[in-house]
Amino acid sequence: MAKIIEFTGPVLVSRNDQRHGMWSVDGTLTFVRPTKAPDCVLDGWVLPGFVDAHCHIGLGVGGAVDERTTLAQAQADLNAGTLLIRDAGSPSDTRWVQQRSDVPRLIRAGRHIARSRRYLRGLGHEIEPEQLVETVRKEARDGDGWVKLVGDWIDRGVGDLAASFPAKVVKDAISAAHDEGARVTAHCFAEDTVDDMLDSDIDCIEHATGLLPRHIPRLVEQSVPIVPTLVNIATFPDIAAQAAPKFPVYADHMVRLWERRRERVLEAFEAGVAIYTGTDAGSVIKHGRIAEEMKELHDAGLPPAAVVDAAAWRAREWLGAEGISEGASADVVLCSEDPRIRLETVSNLKHIVLRGSLVR
Protein backbone atom coordinates (compact mmCIF):
# COMPACT_ATOMS: atom_id res chain seq x y z
CA MET A 1 0.00 0.00 0.00
CA ALA A 2 1.27 3.45 -0.93
CA LYS A 3 1.35 5.24 2.45
CA ILE A 4 0.67 8.66 0.95
CA ILE A 5 -1.40 9.17 -2.18
CA GLU A 6 -1.91 12.66 -3.60
CA PHE A 7 -5.06 13.33 -5.62
CA THR A 8 -4.39 16.21 -7.99
CA GLY A 9 -7.73 16.39 -9.78
CA PRO A 10 -11.10 17.83 -8.72
CA VAL A 11 -12.53 16.14 -5.63
CA LEU A 12 -16.31 15.75 -5.69
CA VAL A 13 -17.15 15.88 -2.00
CA SER A 14 -20.84 15.87 -2.81
CA ARG A 15 -23.06 16.28 -5.84
CA ASN A 16 -22.65 20.05 -5.67
CA ASP A 17 -19.41 20.51 -3.70
CA GLN A 18 -16.06 20.37 -5.49
CA ARG A 19 -12.66 20.81 -3.83
CA HIS A 20 -8.99 20.60 -4.76
CA GLY A 21 -6.13 19.19 -2.77
CA MET A 22 -6.68 15.83 -1.07
CA TRP A 23 -4.42 13.05 0.14
CA SER A 24 -4.69 9.53 1.50
CA VAL A 25 -2.35 9.00 4.44
CA ASP A 26 -2.16 5.44 5.75
CA GLY A 27 -5.57 4.75 4.27
CA THR A 28 -7.28 7.87 5.63
CA LEU A 29 -8.40 10.89 3.61
CA THR A 30 -7.20 14.37 4.51
CA PHE A 31 -7.35 17.84 3.00
CA VAL A 32 -4.21 18.84 4.92
CA ARG A 33 -0.99 18.53 2.92
CA PRO A 34 1.32 15.94 4.50
CA THR A 35 4.84 16.98 5.47
CA LYS A 36 6.26 14.07 3.49
CA ALA A 37 6.25 13.71 -0.29
CA PRO A 38 3.58 11.39 -1.73
CA ASP A 39 4.45 7.83 -2.67
CA CYS A 40 1.89 7.98 -5.49
CA VAL A 41 0.19 10.78 -7.43
CA LEU A 42 -3.19 10.17 -9.08
CA ASP A 43 -5.02 12.50 -11.42
CA GLY A 44 -8.70 12.47 -12.35
CA TRP A 45 -12.11 13.40 -11.01
CA VAL A 46 -12.37 11.88 -7.53
CA LEU A 47 -15.63 10.65 -6.00
CA PRO A 48 -16.64 8.07 -3.38
CA GLY A 49 -16.54 4.44 -4.41
CA PHE A 50 -19.82 3.27 -5.88
CA VAL A 51 -22.55 1.53 -3.90
CA ASP A 52 -24.32 -1.58 -5.15
CA ALA A 53 -27.38 -1.50 -2.92
CA HIS A 54 -28.80 -4.78 -4.18
CA CYS A 55 -26.09 -7.40 -4.55
CA HIS A 56 -25.77 -11.05 -3.54
CA ILE A 57 -22.27 -12.02 -2.42
CA GLY A 58 -21.97 -15.77 -1.87
CA LEU A 59 -24.99 -16.65 -4.01
CA GLY A 60 -25.01 -18.71 -7.18
CA VAL A 61 -27.67 -20.25 -9.41
CA GLY A 62 -28.28 -23.16 -7.04
CA GLY A 63 -27.76 -21.37 -3.76
CA ALA A 64 -24.64 -20.92 -1.66
CA VAL A 65 -21.26 -20.95 -3.42
CA ASP A 66 -17.80 -21.74 -2.06
CA GLU A 67 -15.36 -19.14 -0.72
CA ARG A 68 -13.30 -19.06 -3.90
CA THR A 69 -16.38 -18.19 -5.98
CA THR A 70 -17.56 -15.69 -3.40
CA LEU A 71 -14.18 -13.96 -3.49
CA ALA A 72 -14.28 -13.80 -7.28
CA GLN A 73 -17.71 -12.17 -7.10
CA ALA A 74 -16.48 -9.54 -4.68
CA GLN A 75 -13.39 -8.84 -6.77
CA ALA A 76 -15.48 -8.40 -9.92
CA ASP A 77 -17.54 -5.77 -8.11
CA LEU A 78 -14.37 -4.12 -6.83
CA ASN A 79 -12.86 -3.91 -10.30
CA ALA A 80 -15.99 -2.11 -11.50
CA GLY A 81 -15.62 0.55 -8.81
CA THR A 82 -18.16 -0.85 -6.33
CA LEU A 83 -16.53 -0.30 -2.96
CA LEU A 84 -19.62 -0.73 -0.78
CA ILE A 85 -22.20 -3.50 -1.10
CA ARG A 86 -25.53 -3.80 0.64
CA ASP A 87 -26.21 -7.51 0.57
CA ALA A 88 -29.79 -8.24 -0.45
CA GLY A 89 -29.94 -11.81 0.76
CA SER A 90 -27.48 -14.68 0.66
CA PRO A 91 -27.56 -18.29 1.85
CA SER A 92 -23.83 -18.05 2.60
CA ASP A 93 -22.38 -16.81 5.87
CA THR A 94 -20.24 -14.01 4.47
CA ARG A 95 -18.89 -12.58 7.71
CA TRP A 96 -15.43 -13.68 6.61
CA VAL A 97 -15.66 -11.31 3.63
CA GLN A 98 -15.94 -8.41 6.06
CA GLN A 99 -12.59 -9.37 7.58
CA ARG A 100 -10.71 -8.91 4.30
CA SER A 101 -9.16 -5.59 3.32
CA ASP A 102 -8.94 -6.37 -0.41
CA VAL A 103 -12.66 -6.57 -1.25
CA PRO A 104 -15.56 -4.11 -1.03
CA ARG A 105 -17.08 -3.27 2.31
CA LEU A 106 -20.17 -5.38 2.94
CA ILE A 107 -23.40 -4.69 4.81
CA ARG A 108 -25.09 -8.05 5.32
CA ALA A 109 -28.86 -8.65 5.29
CA GLY A 110 -28.75 -12.36 6.09
CA ARG A 111 -30.83 -14.82 4.10
CA HIS A 112 -33.93 -14.16 2.00
CA ILE A 113 -37.18 -14.93 3.81
CA ALA A 114 -39.68 -16.51 1.41
CA ARG A 115 -42.88 -18.54 1.44
CA SER A 116 -42.60 -22.32 1.32
CA ARG A 117 -42.29 -23.61 -2.26
CA ARG A 118 -42.79 -20.07 -3.55
CA TYR A 119 -39.23 -19.04 -4.41
CA LEU A 120 -36.04 -20.22 -6.09
CA ARG A 121 -34.74 -23.33 -4.39
CA GLY A 122 -31.72 -23.07 -2.15
CA LEU A 123 -31.75 -19.29 -1.79
CA GLY A 124 -33.81 -18.41 1.25
CA HIS A 125 -35.58 -19.53 4.37
CA GLU A 126 -38.85 -21.02 3.10
CA ILE A 127 -41.44 -20.67 5.81
CA GLU A 128 -45.16 -20.44 6.52
CA PRO A 129 -46.87 -17.21 7.70
CA GLU A 130 -46.94 -18.23 11.37
CA GLN A 131 -43.12 -18.46 11.30
CA LEU A 132 -42.51 -15.06 9.73
CA VAL A 133 -42.22 -12.84 12.80
CA GLU A 134 -39.70 -15.02 14.63
CA THR A 135 -37.70 -15.65 11.46
CA VAL A 136 -37.48 -11.91 10.87
CA ARG A 137 -36.34 -11.38 14.45
CA LYS A 138 -33.58 -13.94 14.02
CA GLU A 139 -32.35 -12.45 10.75
CA ALA A 140 -32.48 -8.96 12.25
CA ARG A 141 -30.17 -10.08 15.03
CA ASP A 142 -27.81 -11.98 12.71
CA GLY A 143 -27.45 -9.33 10.00
CA ASP A 144 -26.00 -5.84 9.84
CA GLY A 145 -29.18 -3.87 10.26
CA TRP A 146 -31.17 -5.17 7.28
CA VAL A 147 -33.68 -7.97 6.68
CA LYS A 148 -34.76 -9.13 3.21
CA LEU A 149 -38.32 -10.34 2.53
CA VAL A 150 -39.57 -11.91 -0.68
CA GLY A 151 -42.77 -9.92 -0.96
CA ASP A 152 -44.24 -11.78 -3.93
CA TRP A 153 -43.56 -14.57 -6.40
CA ILE A 154 -45.53 -16.63 -8.84
CA ASP A 155 -48.35 -18.60 -7.23
CA ARG A 156 -48.79 -21.58 -9.51
CA GLY A 157 -52.28 -22.20 -8.22
CA VAL A 158 -53.31 -18.69 -9.23
CA GLY A 159 -51.13 -18.59 -12.33
CA ASP A 160 -49.79 -15.10 -11.58
CA LEU A 161 -47.73 -13.07 -9.14
CA ALA A 162 -49.18 -13.11 -5.64
CA ALA A 163 -48.14 -11.91 -2.19
CA SER A 164 -45.95 -14.32 -0.25
CA PHE A 165 -47.51 -13.58 3.15
CA PRO A 166 -50.75 -12.04 4.45
CA ALA A 167 -50.49 -8.27 4.89
CA LYS A 168 -51.22 -8.40 8.63
CA VAL A 169 -48.38 -10.84 9.23
CA VAL A 170 -46.00 -8.73 7.16
CA LYS A 171 -46.86 -5.68 9.25
CA ASP A 172 -46.17 -7.59 12.48
CA ALA A 173 -42.88 -8.90 11.09
CA ILE A 174 -41.63 -5.49 10.02
CA SER A 175 -42.59 -4.08 13.41
CA ALA A 176 -40.56 -6.88 15.02
CA ALA A 177 -37.54 -6.02 12.88
CA HIS A 178 -37.82 -2.38 13.90
CA ASP A 179 -37.95 -3.47 17.53
CA GLU A 180 -34.64 -5.24 16.92
CA GLY A 181 -33.12 -2.09 15.40
CA ALA A 182 -33.13 -3.39 11.83
CA ARG A 183 -34.59 -2.06 8.61
CA VAL A 184 -36.55 -4.24 6.20
CA THR A 185 -36.46 -4.32 2.42
CA ALA A 186 -38.65 -6.42 0.19
CA HIS A 187 -38.55 -7.94 -3.26
CA CYS A 188 -41.66 -6.54 -4.97
CA PHE A 189 -42.67 -7.22 -8.55
CA ALA A 190 -46.46 -6.88 -8.39
CA GLU A 191 -48.61 -3.78 -7.94
CA ASP A 192 -50.60 -4.87 -4.88
CA THR A 193 -47.47 -5.98 -3.04
CA VAL A 194 -46.22 -2.40 -2.99
CA ASP A 195 -49.45 -1.38 -1.22
CA ASP A 196 -48.99 -4.12 1.38
CA MET A 197 -45.41 -3.08 2.07
CA LEU A 198 -46.21 0.61 2.40
CA ASP A 199 -49.08 -0.25 4.74
CA SER A 200 -46.56 -2.19 6.83
CA ASP A 201 -44.00 0.65 7.14
CA ILE A 202 -41.38 -1.00 4.97
CA ASP A 203 -37.99 0.73 4.75
CA CYS A 204 -37.13 0.04 1.11
CA ILE A 205 -38.63 -1.53 -2.01
CA GLU A 206 -36.52 -3.69 -4.32
CA HIS A 207 -37.32 -3.77 -8.06
CA ALA A 208 -40.64 -1.90 -7.63
CA THR A 209 -41.80 -2.94 -11.09
CA GLY A 210 -45.43 -2.69 -9.99
CA LEU A 211 -45.12 0.95 -9.00
CA LEU A 212 -48.25 2.92 -9.87
CA PRO A 213 -49.15 6.61 -9.56
CA ARG A 214 -51.04 5.88 -6.34
CA HIS A 215 -47.86 4.63 -4.68
CA ILE A 216 -45.63 7.58 -5.44
CA PRO A 217 -47.01 10.12 -2.92
CA ARG A 218 -46.79 7.49 -0.20
CA LEU A 219 -43.18 6.65 -1.04
CA VAL A 220 -42.31 10.33 -0.74
CA GLU A 221 -44.32 10.89 2.44
CA GLN A 222 -42.94 7.77 4.14
CA SER A 223 -39.37 8.35 2.85
CA VAL A 224 -39.24 4.89 1.31
CA PRO A 225 -36.59 4.54 -1.43
CA ILE A 226 -36.59 2.14 -4.36
CA VAL A 227 -33.74 0.13 -5.86
CA PRO A 228 -34.94 -0.62 -9.42
CA THR A 229 -32.26 -3.19 -10.46
CA LEU A 230 -32.92 -2.45 -14.13
CA VAL A 231 -30.18 -4.77 -15.39
CA ASN A 232 -32.16 -7.58 -13.80
CA ILE A 233 -35.56 -6.35 -15.02
CA ALA A 234 -34.14 -6.68 -18.54
CA THR A 235 -34.48 -10.46 -18.09
CA PHE A 236 -38.29 -10.31 -17.74
CA PRO A 237 -39.08 -11.00 -21.44
CA ASP A 238 -37.01 -14.21 -21.31
CA ILE A 239 -38.71 -15.26 -18.07
CA ALA A 240 -42.10 -14.59 -19.65
CA ALA A 241 -41.26 -16.58 -22.78
CA GLN A 242 -40.30 -19.62 -20.69
CA ALA A 243 -43.41 -19.37 -18.52
CA ALA A 244 -45.97 -18.60 -21.24
CA PRO A 245 -46.95 -22.20 -22.16
CA LYS A 246 -48.03 -23.04 -18.59
CA PHE A 247 -48.71 -19.61 -17.08
CA PRO A 248 -49.85 -17.20 -19.80
CA VAL A 249 -51.37 -14.67 -17.36
CA TYR A 250 -48.13 -14.49 -15.39
CA ALA A 251 -46.10 -14.20 -18.60
CA ASP A 252 -48.23 -11.34 -19.86
CA HIS A 253 -47.97 -9.61 -16.49
CA MET A 254 -44.17 -9.82 -16.50
CA VAL A 255 -43.97 -8.36 -19.99
CA ARG A 256 -46.21 -5.45 -19.02
CA LEU A 257 -44.06 -4.76 -15.97
CA TRP A 258 -40.97 -4.77 -18.17
CA GLU A 259 -42.55 -2.42 -20.70
CA ARG A 260 -43.20 0.21 -18.02
CA ARG A 261 -39.84 -0.10 -16.28
CA ARG A 262 -38.33 3.19 -17.46
CA GLU A 263 -41.52 5.20 -17.24
CA ARG A 264 -42.02 3.98 -13.67
CA VAL A 265 -38.52 4.99 -12.56
CA LEU A 266 -38.72 8.42 -14.15
CA GLU A 267 -42.12 9.14 -12.59
CA ALA A 268 -40.72 8.22 -9.17
CA PHE A 269 -37.61 10.33 -9.65
CA GLU A 270 -39.53 13.40 -10.80
CA ALA A 271 -41.81 13.12 -7.78
CA GLY A 272 -38.87 13.06 -5.37
CA VAL A 273 -38.67 9.37 -4.53
CA ALA A 274 -35.14 8.38 -3.48
CA ILE A 275 -33.59 5.96 -5.98
CA TYR A 276 -30.42 3.94 -5.45
CA THR A 277 -28.32 1.76 -7.74
CA GLY A 278 -28.45 -2.01 -7.42
CA THR A 279 -27.54 -4.70 -9.93
CA ASP A 280 -29.08 -7.81 -8.32
CA ALA A 281 -25.78 -9.54 -9.07
CA GLY A 282 -25.72 -13.16 -8.02
CA SER A 283 -27.58 -16.16 -9.39
CA VAL A 284 -28.11 -15.32 -13.09
CA ILE A 285 -26.80 -11.72 -13.04
CA LYS A 286 -23.03 -11.36 -13.26
CA HIS A 287 -21.14 -9.24 -10.78
CA GLY A 288 -19.33 -6.04 -11.71
CA ARG A 289 -22.20 -4.35 -13.59
CA ILE A 290 -22.67 -1.17 -11.57
CA ALA A 291 -21.81 1.05 -14.56
CA GLU A 292 -24.48 -0.73 -16.63
CA GLU A 293 -27.08 -0.11 -13.93
CA MET A 294 -26.10 3.55 -13.87
CA LYS A 295 -26.54 3.71 -17.64
CA GLU A 296 -29.96 2.06 -17.34
CA LEU A 297 -31.07 4.74 -14.88
CA HIS A 298 -29.83 7.42 -17.27
CA ASP A 299 -31.68 5.74 -20.15
CA ALA A 300 -34.81 5.91 -18.00
CA GLY A 301 -34.45 9.69 -17.93
CA LEU A 302 -32.38 10.50 -14.83
CA PRO A 303 -29.72 13.20 -15.42
CA PRO A 304 -26.09 12.06 -15.04
CA ALA A 305 -25.62 13.98 -11.77
CA ALA A 306 -28.68 12.30 -10.25
CA VAL A 307 -27.46 8.87 -11.35
CA VAL A 308 -24.04 9.39 -9.77
CA ASP A 309 -25.75 10.64 -6.62
CA ALA A 310 -27.77 7.42 -6.53
CA ALA A 311 -24.55 5.41 -6.72
CA ALA A 312 -22.25 7.48 -4.55
CA TRP A 313 -22.91 10.35 -2.12
CA ARG A 314 -26.59 9.91 -1.39
CA ALA A 315 -26.39 6.12 -1.32
CA ARG A 316 -23.60 6.19 1.23
CA GLU A 317 -25.45 8.66 3.41
CA TRP A 318 -28.55 6.45 3.29
CA LEU A 319 -26.55 3.44 4.45
CA GLY A 320 -24.67 5.37 7.12
CA ALA A 321 -21.35 4.90 5.33
CA GLU A 322 -18.48 7.35 4.94
CA GLY A 323 -18.08 9.36 1.77
CA ILE A 324 -15.33 11.90 1.17
CA SER A 325 -14.52 13.85 4.31
CA GLU A 326 -11.63 14.55 6.64
CA GLY A 327 -10.64 11.31 8.36
CA ALA A 328 -12.78 9.04 6.19
CA SER A 329 -11.42 5.82 4.76
CA ALA A 330 -9.78 6.30 1.37
CA ASP A 331 -12.40 4.42 -0.66
CA VAL A 332 -12.59 6.39 -3.90
CA VAL A 333 -12.73 6.06 -7.66
CA LEU A 334 -11.23 8.40 -10.25
CA CYS A 335 -12.80 9.26 -13.60
CA SER A 336 -11.21 10.80 -16.67
CA GLU A 337 -14.03 13.35 -16.93
CA ASP A 338 -16.69 14.84 -14.69
CA PRO A 339 -19.23 11.98 -14.33
CA ARG A 340 -21.96 14.49 -13.44
CA ILE A 341 -21.75 15.65 -17.05
CA ARG A 342 -20.42 12.65 -18.95
CA LEU A 343 -21.81 9.55 -17.26
CA GLU A 344 -20.09 7.18 -19.68
CA THR A 345 -16.78 7.91 -17.96
CA VAL A 346 -17.80 5.60 -15.08
CA SER A 347 -17.52 2.62 -17.44
CA ASN A 348 -13.76 3.11 -17.81
CA LEU A 349 -12.41 4.28 -14.47
CA LYS A 350 -8.88 5.68 -14.33
CA HIS A 351 -8.14 4.48 -10.82
CA ILE A 352 -9.75 2.65 -7.90
CA VAL A 353 -8.50 3.10 -4.34
CA LEU A 354 -9.81 0.93 -1.49
CA ARG A 355 -8.74 1.57 2.11
CA GLY A 356 -5.82 3.56 0.78
CA SER A 357 -4.58 0.75 -1.48
CA LEU A 358 -4.36 1.35 -5.21
CA VAL A 359 -6.42 -1.36 -6.87
CA ARG A 360 -5.57 0.07 -10.28
Side-chain angles (χ1 to χ4, degrees):
M1 178 176 76
K3 292 186 177 180
I4 300 179
I5 300 175
E6 181 177 2
F7 302 97
T8 60
V11 179
L12 303 179
V13 178
S14 70
R15 177 175 174 174
N16 300 310
D17 186 6
Q18 179 177 316
R19 299 185 62 172
H20 285 82
M22 188 176 72
W23 293 261
S24 168
V25 179
D26 294 330
T28 300
L29 294 176
T30 182
F31 295 99
V32 179
R33 182 182 292 275
T35 57
K36 295 182 180 180
D39 301 288
C40 178
V41 178
L42 303 179
D43 185 37
W45 293 76
V46 187
L47 64 156
F50 300 135
V51 176
D52 191 334
H54 187 127
C55 189
H56 303 280
I57 296 292
L59 171 66
V61 174
V65 295
D66 59 25
E67 290 192 1
R68 180 178 178 181
T69 303
T70 300
L71 184 58
Q73 293 174 341
Q75 289 174 333
D77 292 319
L78 172 63
N79 290 333
T82 293
L83 305 189
L84 175 63
I85 292 170
R86 183 190 64 150
D87 164 57
S90 177
S92 300
D93 184 344
T94 52
R95 290 178 177 85
W96 65 272
V97 174
Q98 297 173 315
Q99 306 307 311
R100 296 186 65 112
S101 62
D102 59 343
V103 292
R105 298 180 187 277
L106 176 65
I107 299 172
R108 297 172 44 259
R111 197 168 185 179
H112 304 73
I113 302 176
R115 185 69 175 268
S116 301
R117 297 176 295 281
R118 287 276 308 282
Y119 196 50
L120 300 171
R121 292 182 181 177
L123 271 62
H125 294 297
E126 294 193 23
I127 61 171
E128 290 301 304
E130 60 270 21
Q131 300 171 286
L132 183 61
V133 172
E134 285 309 310
T135 304
V136 165
R137 285 193 181 277
K138 177 181 182 300
E139 291 302 302
R141 293 166 185 166
D142 288 348
D144 299 328
W146 283 95
V147 175
K148 170 68 177 294
L149 298 181
V150 178
D152 56 32
W153 200 253
I154 184 173
D155 183 330
R156 289 168 176 79
V158 174
D160 197 4
L161 292 168
S164 300
F165 301 100
K168 174 62 168 64
V169 179
V170 171
K171 187 175 181 63
D172 290 344
I174 291 177
S175 178
H178 292 166
D179 287 345
E180 298 291 341
R183 290 185 279 183
V184 182
T185 193
H187 160 113
C188 296
F189 283 169
E191 296 83 354
D192 291 345
T193 314
V194 179
D195 292 296
D196 290 349
M197 295 302 164
L198 290 173
D199 289 344
S200 301
D201 295 323
I202 195 77
D203 299 288
C204 183
I205 299 288
E206 309 297 317
H207 316 301
T209 48
L211 197 63
L212 295 174
R214 70 172 185 262
H215 300 130
I216 291 177
R218 298 189 64 190
L219 290 167
V220 175
E221 181 182 352
Q222 296 176 219
S223 299
V224 178
I226 64 172
V227 184
T229 66
L230 291 175
V231 293
N232 177 38
I233 305 311
T235 65
F236 275 22
D238 288 340
I239 294 172
Q242 295 175 29
K246 287 187 177 180
F247 304 106
V249 174
Y250 165 75
D252 179 67
H253 195 175
M254 295 293 280
V255 169
R256 286 187 282 110
L257 293 174
W258 171 78
E259 289 174 340
R260 281 201 69 243
R261 69 198 186 283
R262 290 175 176 166
E263 176 186 352
R264 165 184 50 81
V265 170
L266 183 57
E267 288 173 352
F269 169 75
E270 290 179 338
V273 176
I275 297 173
Y276 299 113
T277 50
T279 64
D280 205 0
S283 186
V284 299
I285 304 296
K286 292 183 178 180
H287 287 259
R289 298 183 64 184
I290 193 66
E292 293 178 57
E293 181 64 20
M294 294 168 75
K295 181 180 183 301
E296 287 279 358
L297 289 176
H298 182 45
D299 290 344
L302 274 65
V307 172
V308 180
D309 207 13
W313 310 286
R314 193 176 186 184
R316 285 177 170 271
E317 181 180 2
W318 172 56
L319 293 173
E322 294 178 319
I324 292 180
S325 62
E326 185 71 29
S329 177
D331 297 351
V332 299
V333 296
L334 285 76
C335 298
S336 300
E337 301 175 79
D338 186 344
R340 298 171 301 176
I341 299 172
R342 295 186 60 83
L343 184 63
E344 57 267 32
T345 192
V346 303
S347 297
N348 187 23
L349 297 172
K350 285 190 71 174
H351 300 291
I352 299 171
V353 177
L354 177 66
R355 299 179 175 91
S357 293
L358 182 61
V359 177
R360 76 161 188 262

